[in-house]
Amino acid sequence: MEKIHSNESFEKLIDEYGNLIFSICYRFTGDYFDAQDLAQDTFVAAWRNLDQFDGSYPKAWLTRIATNKCLDYKKRAANKISPT
């Protein structure tokens, strides 16, 4: 895949990998709405870092971002639960 240069090519990434990213997030969270938020956060982070992406292996790149977002989510959730 070539380097992503336009909104249109980024939309193609969303179309192609949106369901995969959502399913990864859903498996991590078990919550539909949290998974939607994390999937959106994944694509926002990808958009912000497009200049660092060389265009190869977009599936691996996006799934790594999604996994990191989910791990951060789990850490935040664990920190909210404090023993009394």
Side-chain angles (χ1 to χ4, degrees), residues 41-43 45-46 49 60-70:
D41 289 348
T42 297
F43 285 106
N49 292 292
W61 181 60
L62 289 169
T63 56
R64 173 47 57 193
I65 295 170
T67 301
N68 288 338
K69 293 286 179 189
C70 291

Side-chain angles (χ1 to χ4, degrees), residues 3-60:
K3 200 154 172 83
I4 300 162
H5 294 289
S6 68
N7 289 344
E8 185 177 311
S9 33
F10 190 75
E11 286 176 20
K12 287 180 185 176
L13 269 185
I14 295 170
D15 289 342
E16 189 168 348
Y17 300 111
N19 289 336
L20 171 66
I21 298 305
F22 173 80
S23 67
I24 290 168
C25 296
Y26 186 74
R27 277 186 252 135
F28 262 91
T29 64
D31 181 90
Y32 181 85
F33 297 106
D34 287 339
Q36 279 186 321
D37 289 344
L38 288 167
Q40 181 175 339
D41 289 348
T42 297
F43 285 106
V44 168
W47 176 257
R48 288 183 179 155
N49 292 292
L50 271 178
D51 59 331
Q52 298 173 22
F53 179 57
D54 66 3
S56 60
Y57 306 108
K59 181 179 178 181

